[in-house]
Amino acid sequence: MTQLDAAGTTSTGAAPEVPQVEVTLTVNDTEHHLRLDSRVTLLDALRDHLGLTDAKKGCDQGACGACTVLADGKRVVACLALAAQYEGRRITTIEGLAPNGELHPMQAAFARHDAFQCGYCTPGQIMSAVSLVAEGRAGSDEDVREFMSGNICRCGAYPNIRAAIRDALAEG
């Protein structure tokens, strides 16, 4: 067994090796083969290794929702998920939500209802809203408020966000 001192180095003075893993991530319908430190989060893999920077690093503790992406259509707080756990799953980021330059209905509704101010939380808000509607949990404003509570908007655009979600839901 290797002993680590207070600085995290071995008795020989070398830092312990971090295991590397081969991971194939399917992101926005494109397969990516990556070799990553086994501790890399899904958010860091998307941003730092694939250049998909619209999922934001907000709190880095899973509390703000700015990093929300979809995995097989379900919401994932990407800052808390290890990239290696998502091999074989279909990841969708805001960049892949609407192919061919067309806005997704939720994106269009957010624009119509001015459901953003600074825009930092908007990708996570939209991804969470898309999943919320797909889950059938947008029955009332109270439902939307409850099931979107993991996505924080520091600008306070909540009424417009709820209006956009209800509008997109009404459009089908």
Side-chain angles (χ1 to χ4, degrees):
M1 180 173 194
T2 303
Q3 296 287 327
L4 299 179
D5 64 18
T9 59
T10 65
S11 57
T12 63
E17 272 193 48
V18 175
Q20 297 285 306
V21 293
E22 300 286 335
V23 178
T24 300
L25 295 176
T26 303
V27 182
N28 302 330
D29 297 323
T30 301
E31 211 171 79
H32 301 274
H33 303 283
L34 303 169
R35 182 169 178 77
L36 304 170
D37 174 324
S38 62
R39 303 168 296 181
V40 168
T41 65
L42 180 58
L43 178 61
D44 288 339
L46 295 170
R47 291 180 60 80
D48 300 340
H49 297 274
L50 299 180
L52 300 170
T53 58
D54 283 351
K56 302 300 184 218
K57 188 176 275 202
C59 67
D60 215 17
Q61 297 176 351
C64 74
C67 64
T68 303
V69 298
L70 304 181
D72 297 332
K74 305 282 187 211
R75 294 178 265 190
V76 172
V77 182
C79 72
L80 295 183
L82 293 176
Q85 294 175 298
Y86 287 84
E87 185 164 35
R89 302 194 51 199
R90 195 180 86 253
I91 308 300
T92 306
T93 68
I94 193 80
E95 292 96 338
L97 190 59
N100 305 323
E102 299 286 324
L103 289 180
H104 182 279
M106 190 64 71
Q107 290 170 309
F110 265 63
R112 274 193 307 278
H113 289 274
D114 195 25
F116 47 85
Q117 288 181 26
C118 79
Y120 194 83
C121 73
T122 304
Q125 294 276 358
I126 290 172
M127 297 307 288
S128 193
V130 166
S131 183
L132 169 83
V133 169
E135 294 165 2
R137 296 184 177 195
S140 67
D141 279 346
E142 292 76 28
D143 290 339
V144 171
R145 187 178 295 113
E146 174 68 24
F147 290 107
M148 290 291 291
S149 64
N151 291 81
I152 296 172
C153 173
R154 296 194 191 288
C155 299
Y158 297 116
N160 297 15
I161 291 168
R162 284 191 299 278
I165 293 169
R166 303 289 293 155
D167 186 19
L169 179 64
E171 281 189 14

